């Protein structure tokens, strides 16, 4: 085991912080580190929270993290905000709504760094590091999500979709998007008028999508006041108890593993092929594709050929 | 491909509620391609150092307009050292009298930026002095 992995296992918080940076920046040290910690990551529970900007995801995450920490759990929080497509910089403001007085809570802000889908490319690695460091619960807050930022479901054991009253039309518009990935729904800011209507709209929309979704829990909260947090925790902890839910979770972990394998394979394959082709052939392929002398698929096949022949 | 990003924590310790300067500087850092973690108003030195540790930042920028810089800045510096974060660069912005600025620099602050400093100057200084790692 690498020294850094040992430090993380022994609870060194600075080592964990440093390791997340290494994974984020695609450091050559990252693969060995993740391999060392991978066996220790199975027992952590990963809960994703997603929803439109401004519905109160950060405040909700803050309240949940505190409550779980009070119960003695160690809680990791990964809060994702968008990077600027122009400068590549990012303003990460989720911490404004997160008070972090508890040493059992570890909060880390991540920028999307050009990755679409509502999360960050290194999210899987960051979750594994936190799990490997002994954080039994990892809360992931996605960027403010619209209709297609559904990638969180390939990382989380349980996805919470957060909505607020007065967005009836959004519920309508979202029916094929993030509404489908919710294992659990929260109507936050429930002190605003129309919260019961929003609950009914979600309920009927879910019924239209799939009869089995009719029983999905919907919790009303006012996160700023701490209202409804206990009910939400009860719903979260109650999830995954029934045989059907357990089966669904096991299937999801297999899907996630399948996806991890494909991602790792794709990344390795590109590196290997690029190295095998050499920079001259790589640049030549790019030039020819850009000039429309060849198409990307044909150029890719030409670069692949020497490798497939060997095999 | 290595994609190292400079990460900056912009924080407002103490009791004053004037965060316009902090936000302007945060924005300038972002536009220069850095990742800026903004923590909001009324942060204690403990909260600031906790955030710096968890976020693995290269730079901590403190904005202080209350006049309490001679108490707050040394507390942040001490705690950073106690946590082993002494390689994190600390810059201070706000209304700081020159003799206080000299004192803060002696304590380990890399730079003190007064009112009217062009944001480009702050960005250039930060890029030029941030640690290699």
């Amino acid at each position: 085991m690498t020294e850094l992995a040992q430090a993380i296992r022994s609870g060194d918080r600075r080592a964990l912080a440093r390791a997340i940076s290494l994974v984020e920046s695609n450091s050559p040290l990252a693969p060995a580190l993740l391999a060392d910690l991978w066996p220790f990551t199975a027992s952590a529970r990963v809960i994703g929270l997603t929803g439109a900007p401004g519905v109160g995801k950060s405040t909700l995450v803050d309240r949940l993290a505190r409550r779980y920490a009070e119960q003695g759990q160690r809680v990791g929080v990964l809060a994702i905000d968008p990077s600027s497509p122009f400068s590549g910089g990012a303003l990460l403001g989720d911490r404004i709504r997160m008070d972090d007085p508890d040493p059992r809570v570890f909060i880390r802000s991540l920028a999307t760094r050009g990755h679409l889908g509502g999360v960050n490319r290194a999210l899987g690695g960051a979750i594994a590091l936190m799990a490997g460091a002994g954080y039994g619960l990892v809360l992931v807050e996605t960027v403010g999500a619209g209709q297609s930022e559904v990638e969180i479901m390939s990382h989380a054991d349980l996805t919470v979709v957060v909505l607020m009253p007065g967005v009836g039309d959004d519920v309508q518009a979202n029916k094929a998007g993030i509404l489908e990935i919710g294992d659990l729904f929260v109507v936050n800011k429930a002190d605003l008028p129309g919260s019961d209507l929003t609950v009914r709209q979600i309920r009927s929309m879910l019924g239209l999508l799939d009869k089995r979704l009719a029983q999905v829990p919907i919790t009303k909260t006012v996160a700023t006041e701490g209202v409804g947090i206990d009910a939400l925790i009860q719903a979260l902890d109650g999830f995954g108890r029934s045989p059907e839910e357990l089966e669904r979770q096991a299937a999801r972990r297999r899907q996630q593993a399948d996806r991890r394998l494909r991602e790792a394979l794709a990344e390795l394959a590109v590196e290997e092929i690029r190295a095998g082709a050499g920079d001259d052939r790589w640049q030549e392929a790019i030039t020819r594709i850009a000039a429309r002398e060849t198409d990307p698929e044909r150029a890719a096949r030409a670069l692949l050929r020497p490798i497939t022949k060997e095999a | 491909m290595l994609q190292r990003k400079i990460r900056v924590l912009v924080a407002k310790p103490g009791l004053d509620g004037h965060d316009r300067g902090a936000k302007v500087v945060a924005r300038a850092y972002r536009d220069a391609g850095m990742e800026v973690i903004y923590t909001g108003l009324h942060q204690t030195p403990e909260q600031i150092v906790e955030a710096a540790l968890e976020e693995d930042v290269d730079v901590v920028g403190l904005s202080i307009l209350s006049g309490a810089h001679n108490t707050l800045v040394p507390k942040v510096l001490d705690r950073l050292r106690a946590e082993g974060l002494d390689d994190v660069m600390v810059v201070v912005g706000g209304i700081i009298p020159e003799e206080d600025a000299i004192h803060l620099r002696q304590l380990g602050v890399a730079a003190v930026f007064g009112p009217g400093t062009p944001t480009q100057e702050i960005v250039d200084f930060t890029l030029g002095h941030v640690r290699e790692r």
Side-chain angles (χ1 to χ4, degrees):
Chain A
M1 193 182 264
T2 61
E3 214 173 290
L4 189 55
Q6 272 171 13
I8 293 170
R9 288 291 299 155
S10 72
D12 181 340
R13 301 164 73 243
R14 224 191 134 197
L16 172 61
R18 189 84 197 86
I20 296 174
S21 300
L22 291 175
V23 169
E24 266 206 296
S25 62
N26 225 352
S27 157
L29 301 173
L33 183 60
L34 289 170
D36 282 344
L37 292 174
W38 189 251
F40 304 102
T41 59
S43 60
R45 204 163 158 235
V46 183
I47 298 178
L49 287 98
T50 188
V55 295
K57 294 184 293 298
S58 300
T59 310
L60 213 50
V61 165
D62 174 73
R63 298 301 183 274
L64 286 175
R66 273 201 237 183
R67 200 62 66 85
Y68 275 113
E70 281 164 19
Q71 294 174 8
Q73 282 219 51
R74 295 178 68 210
V75 186
V77 174
L78 292 164
I80 308 165
D81 267 334
S83 296
S84 158
F86 300 109
S87 70
L91 200 51
L92 308 170
D94 290 324
R95 274 194 108 95
I96 296 174
R97 290 180 182 77
M98 296 181 189
D99 197 11
D100 182 16
D102 200 311
R104 281 168 298 206
V105 179
F106 188 108
I107 302 171
R108 178 62 173 252
S109 314
L110 301 175
T112 53
R113 299 196 178 180
H115 189 87
L116 301 175
V119 302
N120 158 302
R121 192 193 59 82
L123 179 62
I127 291 171
L129 290 172
M130 281 188 160
Y135 290 86
L137 175 66
V138 181
L139 300 173
V140 181
E141 179 192 341
T142 72
V143 301
Q147 297 178 305
S148 61
E149 288 86 353
V150 297
E151 210 181 307
I152 183 62
M153 66 181 290
S154 61
H155 294 280
D157 298 312
L158 166 55
T159 301
V160 181
V161 173
V162 187
L163 299 120
M164 59 182 270
V167 292
D169 289 345
D170 282 2
V171 173
Q172 188 76 15
N174 278 331
K175 60 187 167 190
I178 59 171
L179 277 197
E180 262 180 301
I181 68 168
D183 297 300
L184 221 129
F185 288 80
V186 170
V187 176
N188 191 37
K189 307 193 187 182
D191 52 342
L192 293 175
S195 64
D196 289 324
L197 179 65
T198 306
V199 171
R200 284 202 299 278
Q201 282 173 328
I202 298 168
R203 183 68 73 205
S204 74
M205 199 56 64
L206 291 172
L208 287 177
L209 279 172
D210 187 337
K211 278 206 188 80
R212 282 169 302 174
L213 294 177
Q215 298 309 312
V216 166
I218 305 174
T219 309
K220 290 202 292 180
T221 59
V222 185
T224 48
E225 311 290 327
V227 175
I229 302 300
D230 286 331
L232 176 57
I233 284 185
Q234 223 169 9
L236 289 169
D237 291 347
F239 185 83
R241 293 273 167 81
S242 70
E244 298 83 43
E245 282 172 347
L246 279 173
E247 205 174 302
R248 217 160 81 205
Q249 279 193 321
R252 191 175 301 180
R253 285 222 161 176
R254 281 194 64 84
Q255 278 170 14
Q256 291 171 351
D258 182 274
R259 194 188 161 115
R260 289 292 103 71
L261 179 62
R262 282 164 197 272
E263 280 171 359
L265 207 51
E267 200 152 316
L268 280 179
V270 169
E271 269 172 40
E272 200 116 311
I273 292 161
R274 191 184 164 139
D279 200 44
D280 288 352
R281 281 190 66 201
W282 189 266
Q283 294 303 332
E284 190 201 325
I286 290 171
T287 310
R288 295 191 57 213
I289 295 166
R292 302 296 187 270
E293 291 167 17
T294 186
D295 60 275
E297 164 103 19
R298 190 177 309 183
R301 285 191 184 283
L303 291 173
L304 256 177
R305 208 161 294 137
I307 293 174
T308 41
K309 258 185 200 156
E310 272 170 43
Chain B
M1 194 176 47
L2 203 67
Q3 302 139 339
R4 165 133 159 68
K5 286 262 175 211
I6 295 171
R7 288 170 66 89
V8 187
L9 181 77
V10 173
K12 271 203 65 66
L15 297 175
D16 77 276
H18 306 282
D19 60 352
R20 189 173 154 70
K23 283 177 174 164
V24 167
V25 171
R27 178 73 195 266
Y29 278 144
R30 187 199 75 154
D31 290 345
M34 299 180 219
E35 289 183 354
V36 185
I37 296 101
Y38 182 61
T39 55
L41 297 167
H42 312 316
Q43 299 285 298
T44 64
E46 290 78 9
Q47 286 172 314
I48 290 167
V49 174
E50 177 80 0
L53 185 148
E54 291 177 347
E55 300 286 356
D56 190 34
V57 295
D58 305 285
V59 183
V60 171
L62 301 173
S63 167
I64 307 173
L65 294 157
S66 63
H69 46 267
N70 284 336
T71 355
L72 292 168
V73 176
K75 274 191 191 161
V76 171
L77 291 171
D78 286 348
R79 274 197 88 88
L80 281 172
R81 284 189 192 115
E83 293 285 350
L85 298 171
D86 32 6
D87 55 345
V88 172
M89 181 167 106
V90 178
V91 294
V92 177
I95 303 166
I96 318 277
E98 183 51 33
E99 62 264 36
D100 290 354
I102 292 168
H103 174 62
L104 293 179
R105 279 196 292 266
Q106 280 166 352
L107 291 177
V109 170
V112 177
F113 300 111
T117 310
T119 52
Q120 192 59 48
E121 190 183 316
I122 299 174
V123 167
D124 288 344
F125 179 89
T126 306
L127 288 174
H129 291 79
V130 72
R131 65 187 160 155
E132 292 279 333
R133 55 173 202 183

